[in-house]
Amino acid sequence: TQLLEQSPQFLSIQEGENLTVYCNSSSVFSSLQWYRQEPGEGPVLLVTVVTGGEVKKLKRLTFQFGDARKDSSLHITAAQPGDTGLYLCAGVPRGSGGGADGLTFGKGTHLIIQP
Amino acid sequence: DVKVTQSSRYLVKRTGEKVFLECVQDMDHENMFWYRQDPGLGLRLIYFSYDVKMKEKGDIPEGYSVSREKKERFSLILESASTNQTSMYLCASSLSGRAGDEQFFGPGTRLTVL
């Protein structure tokens, strides 16, 4: 059973469109992180959300943590080809050993923005 | 600029060979991790270490071992490589064990076992 379910698995849209990707779980998380991975590279952290209901913005990217701290979403406005990549959500389940035990990752959303 | 480096970007080995994957971080981080990444399976934790000479099993430790003799270096060892260990291997480090700490990843080693 996958602890963090990401949807959609694949998404291909035109430049300028808006999109939302989701990260869902039946478990409560102490925090959730979103990473972006480009081909041939390791994941790079975009944001960490900690408080239920929290909304964080990073230029055209808006991240939201669910009130119950079981889910998160990433919304991209006016997508650009440079947004292309694999978007991974990751977190530490509440009650686990903390971040020292390593993160639990979703399988990711492959996003392609076509010019 | 903070950095996690991995010894090889690409590696090809034969079944039964002993394989060493090296990872070095220059950020004085306490925690280091080894993941493997496979299509359709995502990133899975193999082993992690929260201190020199300390190691803990992750979700899929079978067929692997690790070594952390120095704080900055974390090695992953495949004692006898098998074809099902063909994968992308990612090393990461984080400052402490607090939930929400950023993990910094290396560029990965793509290992092919023939």
Side-chain angles (χ1 to χ4, degrees):
Chain A
T1 302
Q2 187 74 13
L3 202 56
L4 284 169
E5 297 282 351
Q6 289 191 246
S7 61
Q9 194 175 353
F10 297 95
L11 184 59
S12 178
I13 62 171
Q14 294 295 125
E15 181 177 359
E17 293 185 21
N18 303 333
L19 67 108
T20 303
V21 298
Y22 300 92
C23 175
N24 296 306
S25 178
S26 57
S27 301
V28 176
F29 281 79
S30 304
S31 63
L32 276 179
Q33 298 177 322
W34 285 90
Y35 289 79
R36 180 169 68 205
Q37 184 178 18
E38 298 185 16
E41 300 298 329
V44 175
L45 180 69
L46 295 173
V47 76
T48 300
V49 285
V50 179
T51 307
E54 183 176 5
V55 177
K56 281 191 173 179
K57 291 195 174 184
L58 187 67
K59 297 183 181 178
R60 292 175 294 99
L61 278 61
T62 302
F63 304 85
Q64 187 161 8
F65 200 13
D67 291 341
R69 308 214 314 266
K70 292 183 179 181
D71 53 82
S72 182
S73 63
L74 159 60
H75 182 79
I76 301 179
T77 303
Q80 304 293 314
D83 297 327
T84 292
L86 175 65
Y87 289 80
L88 297 158
C89 68
V92 178
R94 192 177 65 178
S96 72
D101 288 356
L103 292 168
T104 296
F105 281 85
K107 293 182 181 181
T109 293
H110 292 267
L111 177 63
I112 297 174
I113 310 300
Q114 301 186 34
Chain B
D1 197 17
V2 296
K3 235 175 168 56
V4 177
T5 55
Q6 295 184 229
S7 50
S8 305
R9 294 297 295 264
Y10 299 93
L11 210 52
V12 180
K13 295 290 181 182
R14 297 214 173 267
T15 301
E17 282 192 76
K18 191 169 186 176
V19 182
F20 293 87
L21 302 182
E22 304 284 338
C23 174
V24 177
Q25 50 96 2
D26 65 359
M27 297 165 280
D28 200 34
H29 282 174
E30 299 291 330
N31 300 294
M32 297 188 74
F33 310 87
W34 275 106
Y35 296 88
R36 63 178 283 177
Q37 185 175 28
D38 301 287
L41 296 176
L43 273 79
R44 292 178 292 166
L45 182 64
I46 304 171
Y47 266 97
F48 61 97
S49 168
Y50 52 86
D51 201 354
V52 175
K53 296 193 184 295
M54 304 302 290
K55 59 184 179 183
E56 294 288 341
K57 293 180 180 179
D59 299 320
I60 52 164
E62 297 78 19
Y64 303 95
S65 61
V66 290
S67 171
R68 194 167 180 200
E69 296 296 317
K70 294 184 178 181
K71 190 176 185 180
E72 67 271 17
R73 189 179 297 268
F74 192 35
S75 302
L76 179 69
I77 303 151
L78 287 65
E79 294 289 341
S80 178
S82 62
T83 54
N84 63 12
Q85 292 178 310
T86 292
S87 185
M88 168 70 87
Y89 289 88
L90 290 163
C91 174
S93 70
S94 68
L95 180 61
S96 73
R98 291 175 307 187
D101 263 6
E102 178 177 2
Q103 289 201 5
F104 293 85
F105 285 84
T109 296
R110 187 164 293 282
L111 173 67
T112 301
V113 182
L114 302 175

